[in-house]
Amino acid sequence: MAKKLTKRIVSWATVFFVITLLFCICNAINGCADIEEQKAKVIEYRDGRPRPARLDLPLQVSESLTPRYLRCEYLVNPLGIDVVRPRFSWIVDSGQRGQKQTAYRILVSGSEEKVNADIGDFWDSGKVVSDQTNHIVYIGKQLNSRMRCYWKVKVWDKDGKESQWSDKAYWTMGLLANEDWKAKWIGYDTSSLNEHTELHLPPSPYLRKDFSVSGKIKRATVYVSALGLFELSINGQRVGSDWFTPGWTNYNKRVYYLTYDVTDMLKQGSNSAGAILSNGWYAGYVGFALLTNYPKPRAIYGQVPALLGQLEIEYEDGSREVVVTDENWKVSTGPIRESDILMGETYDGRKEIDGWERSGFNDKRWLSAALFGKAKGVIEAYPSVRVKTTGEIRPVEITEPNKGVYVFNMGQNFAGRVRLKVKGDAGTKIRLRFAEMLHKDGNIMTENLRKARATDTYICRGTGKEKIWEPKFTYHGFQYVEVTGYPGRPSLDAVTGIVLGSDTPAAGYFECSNDMLNKLYSNITWTQRANFFEVPTDCPQRDERMGWTGDAQIYIRSATCNMDVASFFTKWFVDLADDQLASGAYPDYAPRPYRHKRDYSPAWTDAGIICPYTIYKVYGDKRVIENQYESMQKFMDFQTGRSVDFIHTTTDGWGDWLSFGGETPKDLISTVYFAYDAKLMAEMAAAIGKKADVRRYGELFDNIKEAFVKKYVSSEGRIEGDTQTCYALALYMDLLDENLRAEAAKRLVELLKENNWHLATGFLGVKHLLPVLTETGHTDIAYRLLTNTTFPSWGYSVVNGSTTIWERWNSYTIDEGFASPGMNSFSHYAFGSVCQWMFASMAGIDTDGAGFKRIIIRPQPGGSGISYAKASYDSINGLIELGWQIEGDKFTLEVTIPANTTAIVYVPALSEGAVTEGDVQAGRAEGVKFLRIVEGVAVYKVESGNYKFVSRGAQVTK
Ligand code: BGC
């Protein structure tokens, strides 16, 4: 195993080397060929690419089974949850082939002492004969507000051998009842203190309160929420490391609170709590409201941000004290003069208030906080991973396109902001503007930001000392930072990139022999990091950043390959259901602060089915189905209601958005998705035992399929519209029977050929194109499309210097320059949905059934000169690793199947006899069972463990 770890480190070094090399062969967009300048120097975030988080944990070397990575509701040691039947999961590791869990025992205790003494006073599951390691529902003592729960698990292996107890884990319960809240919503209406005219950007309210602590503190916990955004401090120290709290919801229906343990932040005697608020999504500018002249371009949910906080102190002697937000808090304004997610932040150092967040500060001149009544919606515990700083980036170059205008190139497009280092005289005003691209003259290209001002301003206080400043309540999508007003010429370290995003644990890794594809993969993951930002956004830079449903449904399966997004989407499903329309349709984006052109669009609205289904499928999560079921049924009734003889006749919708081909009929798109929804509903109904619905939705699918073929498909397999997307959708969604399938696939290939072997799909076709080519025996063409570097293709952007996935195939072309600035994001994940195929078919990792309990290992080598691929995927059942290689007529497949799972492994082979595993014929190897050989591929059932298959004479071409 140590060897394995070294191998991993080496392979990471190789990846970094490969990326570096790649930068060296890519030309920057404006013809700049100087590669060193393009090299992103990423610090702190490993080598800039996500890798499975659990690789950081010590790996198991023992032969027997050991449980680790204990999680409760997908989170490690969460504080303040409000799920009263939380679910547990863990991973079992073993170095032994075929090892599996046959039983488990969970202990949950109300104290650390008890759990240490193996006393499960809350719940002792006893020995449960089961191989289940995730989504195990707690059925112990009723959980009430504030309870602390410690837990651990032991397992029995295949031989009945009992493991040690795992390390202990814990969770705490939040405030479950409304009556638990003694705090009041407070705030300070600063909306008339706006210093600017063109935009309405009131200063941030500052709030404070001194309180005293006397007695030995056992524990102190703070529960805190805001309408808008908050930053809380205790005795001048920031509470937690989360940003953009408490997140974005439909605040009319719900608002989340967060829970932090602040025991170590308090001291005997006088203490102080301070908070800064910002308008955030609640009261700030949201999306394109300003651009589209929506009557309320800002303050859509409410006018003034408000804070709700409750600090509960438990003393050693059993007594308690509660400090709450109420009218006794004092309010003022401070140095944050403007703060808005889209517009940016302005900080005036001259308005700093020394000591305001410490006790003893004289706040006599501060006003009393205003009370804000109740929140309109329910208050619930934040259910997911939070937005965090996930990395730092050093700029690679400074240019000065105009006198005194400095442009920092960060070398990587990302979402976040910068930390500024400066020493200046009082009143020196430094302005930072952000952009993804440069114009030919070296100036930043901001046209594509539309109405997002994306400008941060820092005004020096003039202390004579160097100051470090980072805004708190804004973020931008950018690669370039324009700095003006800097005193003198800034050095490279005047600016540091701060990468922000929802802290979804890294889960995937991909590498192959084609450098362009490695860069493409890096671009995909960076785009995901930039857009998994509280909600799955379309883009991080312009005045949009909305949870567009179509983008999410297209990309979600790819997202799962790279990061563990189970908890992230679980939160978003609540947003989706909260903003489901009265008709039953899911909106174009969720949360949905306002209506845009239409209420919903085919293929966007279907995210309400496809996304929960994907989370179920990838993580085996049935609760997601249960939670969403009613809402999904309502949606299906809506879909049925608008169909005529199982066909949707609509001509409305976004269509195959941004396609480069002919138009795919919108009624066809809508009908195809209707069928797909029915199919997925039948499968989900089966998963939760709703038999009648399995039949009902199964029949619905059959009926739509029949009607679809009748209406849209000719006897030669021609589909109305005759676009690549028409065929990709119909084939992927299983709407054609065998004979028509073959014909349709043939036609798709013809279309590709007619298009000089280039894709022409928009958002909707792109995800399905390569999978259907592979399913219909055209993997070679899939590779050809994937490795293309001529326009339009994935590779075109890569060889033209991209570091993220672009919104449009022609976002930038050598001939035409930038596409229409009105809609031209350089960080849009939809076209990155090819990642799904890269994992499932190119590397060959997929799930058979739900939750990667049965794994499919099916590498599909197929040409375009690719001689090897490596991938890993940290599934809910453990880490799957794989590497295949072609050397002459030898095909090698190394694979790790996690303990307690099995895999069906496909090895290209002439005959069974031509395949070895280790030193023996594969079918005879320990843990391997030969099943069959079909069309040049030997198929094995494989138990958990590490394997090396070698197939000689297999007809595999690079
Ligand atoms: C967004 C898209 C979205 C689309 C709807 C755009 O402005 O950026 O990604 O799906 O609108 O067509």
Side-chain angles (χ1 to χ4, degrees), residues 538-539 542 544 548 551 604 654 657 763 807 823 828:
D538 54 338
C539 56
R542 68 175 175 232
E544 202 146 354
W548 278 96
D551 307 43
W604 272 249
W654 302 108
W657 189 241
F763 279 25
E807 178 174 22
M823 226 198 53
H828 235 78

Side-chain angles (χ1 to χ4, degrees), residues 252-306:
N252 297 320
K253 293 200 171 160
R254 80 188 70 236
V255 60
Y256 292 129
Y257 66 89
L258 293 108
T259 302
Y260 299 96
D261 186 329
V262 293
T263 314
D264 296 338
M265 299 171 88
L266 295 180
K267 54 184 170 55
Q268 287 298 313
S270 56
N271 289 265
S272 187
I276 309 174
L277 297 179
S278 180
N279 290 328
W281 294 284
Y282 176 78
Y285 288 93
V286 178
F288 41 69
L290 185 61
L291 180 81
T292 53
N293 293 322
Y294 184 73
K296 247 190 192 179
R298 61 178 290 280
I300 289 164
Y301 297 99
Q303 291 290 329
V304 182

